[in-house]
């Protein structure tokens, strides 16, 4: 199987404080790769490195990240124009944060900014992406409503639709269901499993049961004295719990 992401000796510092260093990892194409670890070990920081968001937040990033975005060619993400990188590596955060705009505008704005689609094609893409996340039937007559009126689960699915409408190759997910109720969580999980059949998903989680339900591969991030280790793990609850206890 082809590699989707290759991380070599990655390190991050903020204001001179080292968050982690010497992170090495390869993530295969397609499927859900889930990263667990103790709070504060740098999981979310790592995730934000993949689309260079960490740099915008004031982080100093060392090492190299290579992404396979087209034609099975690994390219250093620093050589990819930022708008192209962000279009191809989408990110879903822990708490849904739609724009304070209509449902329609939440979807059409990124498409008009990042693609060359005309109005008709954008309308078609909105329909397709909402269908993909199972929201079209319930929202097709509510597109002019403010997206903030949606429930938390609906908002997260809307944001997932927004990412998918840009046709990314890789999705990064920072605890995407932790702020949702159990029913909404399961709906999102089912969507992620389906998306993972055709996309590479990199997910941060503290939820062992969720990781065991939906992950195709698992690892634990351990940071000691600033040096990072990635420990590949089997899909076994007892083994995961024992390993996580050791890295706390």
């Amino acid at each position: 199987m082809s590699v989707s992401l290759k991380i070599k000796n990655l390190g991050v510092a903020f204001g001179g404080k080292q968050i982690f260093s010497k992170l090495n990892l390869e993530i295969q194409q397609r499927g859900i790769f889930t990263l667990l670890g103790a709070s504060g070990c740098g999981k979310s920081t790592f995730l934000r490195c993949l689309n260079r968001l960490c740099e915008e937040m004031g982080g100093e990033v060392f090492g190299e990240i290579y992404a396979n975005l087209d034609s099975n060619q690994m390219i250093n993400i620093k050589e990819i124009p930022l708008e192209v990188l962000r279009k191809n590596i989408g990110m879903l955060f822990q708490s849904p944060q739609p724009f304070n705009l209509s449902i329609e505008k939440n979807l059409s704005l990124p498409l008009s900014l990042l693609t060359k689609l005309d109005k008709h094609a954008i309308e078609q893409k909105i329909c397709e992406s909402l269908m993909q996340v199972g929201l079209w039937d319930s929202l097709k007559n509510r597109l002019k409503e403010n997206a903030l009126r949606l429930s938390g689960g609906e908002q997260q699915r809307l944001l997932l639709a927004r990412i998918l409408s840009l046709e990314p190759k890789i999705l990064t997910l920072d605890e995407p269901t932790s702020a949702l109720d159990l029913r909404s969580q399961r709906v999102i999980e089912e969507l992620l499993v389906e998306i993972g059949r055709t996309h590479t998903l990199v997910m941060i989680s503290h939820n062992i049961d969720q990781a065991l339900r939906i992950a195709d591969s698992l690892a634990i991030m351990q940071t000691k004295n600033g040096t990072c280790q990635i420990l590949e793990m089997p899909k076994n609850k007892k083994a995961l719990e024992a390993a996580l206890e050791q890295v706390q």
Side-chain angles (χ1 to χ4, degrees):
M1 187 180 290
S2 299
V3 173
S4 185
L5 289 163
K6 181 181 290 187
I7 295 96
K8 300 177 69 175
N9 293 317
L10 183 67
V12 180
F14 278 89
K17 179 184 177 182
Q18 191 80 32
I19 306 301
F20 62 78
S21 64
K22 299 182 181 179
L23 191 161
N24 292 281
L25 178 65
E26 287 190 0
I27 298 174
Q28 303 298 316
Q29 277 190 325
R30 290 184 296 279
I32 302 174
F33 170 80
T34 301
L35 189 62
L36 302 104
S39 296
C41 70
K43 298 185 301 298
S44 295
T45 299
F46 157 69
L47 207 65
R48 284 161 173 75
C49 289
L50 300 181
N51 65 0
R52 297 180 59 190
L53 184 60
C54 202
E55 295 171 36
E56 289 189 1
M57 297 170 67
E60 192 174 2
V61 180
F62 311 93
E64 298 173 315
I65 300 174
Y66 296 89
N68 180 355
L69 300 182
D70 191 34
S71 303
N72 290 321
Q73 208 171 13
M74 302 299 291
I75 303 174
N76 192 314
I77 64 168
K78 292 179 181 177
E79 298 174 6
I80 303 171
L82 200 56
E83 66 274 11
V84 175
L85 182 69
R86 298 272 170 84
K87 181 177 180 292
N88 281 281
I89 303 182
M91 187 163 190
L92 195 64
F93 295 95
Q94 182 174 359
S95 298
Q97 297 176 333
F99 303 139
N100 187 14
L101 297 168
S102 70
I103 294 166
E104 182 180 45
K105 279 289 185 184
N106 265 272
L107 295 167
S108 65
L109 190 58
L111 287 167
S112 39
L113 291 173
L114 297 173
T115 73
K116 297 179 180 179
L117 298 176
D118 60 26
K119 183 179 178 181
H120 176 73
I122 287 175
E123 290 173 352
Q124 183 63 31
K125 185 64 71 174
I126 289 172
C127 173
E128 290 172 0
S129 61
L130 287 175
M131 288 180 69
Q132 196 170 357
V133 300
L135 284 177
W136 176 248
D137 287 341
S138 59
L139 297 186
K140 62 184 177 183
N141 297 319
R142 301 172 56 194
L143 295 178
K144 302 300 182 183
E145 287 184 21
N146 192 299
L148 298 180
R149 295 181 61 184
L150 299 174
S151 69
E154 288 173 327
Q155 287 183 17
Q156 198 70 314
R157 288 158 72 188
L158 175 67
L159 297 186
L160 186 55
R162 187 165 74 193
I163 293 170
L164 293 173
S165 70
L166 295 170
E167 299 182 4
K169 302 294 190 300
I170 299 167
L171 277 74
T172 61
L173 312 154
D174 193 354
E175 298 192 68
T177 65
S178 63
L180 306 179
D181 61 60
L182 185 59
R183 181 179 176 278
S184 297
Q185 175 180 308
R186 291 302 177 87
V187 170
I188 297 290
E189 287 179 2
E190 290 175 6
L191 287 170
L192 297 181
V193 169
E194 186 62 31
I195 294 164
R197 302 185 198 282
T198 53
H199 294 70
T200 301
L201 278 64
V202 184
M203 185 173 80
I204 301 300
S205 180
H206 281 103
N207 187 328
I208 293 177
D209 291 327
Q210 179 184 76
L212 291 169
R213 279 196 299 273
I214 71 174
D216 294 287
S217 56
L218 292 165
I220 290 176
M221 183 172 177
Q222 179 183 27
T223 304
K224 284 187 176 180
N225 301 319
T227 299
C228 181
Q229 280 188 308
I230 300 294
L231 312 172
E232 294 186 18
M233 297 297 301
K235 291 185 70 172
N236 179 284
K237 187 171 183 177
K238 287 185 179 180
L240 272 176
E241 288 176 338
L244 285 168
E245 281 182 13
Q246 292 180 3
V247 302
Q248 296 296 329

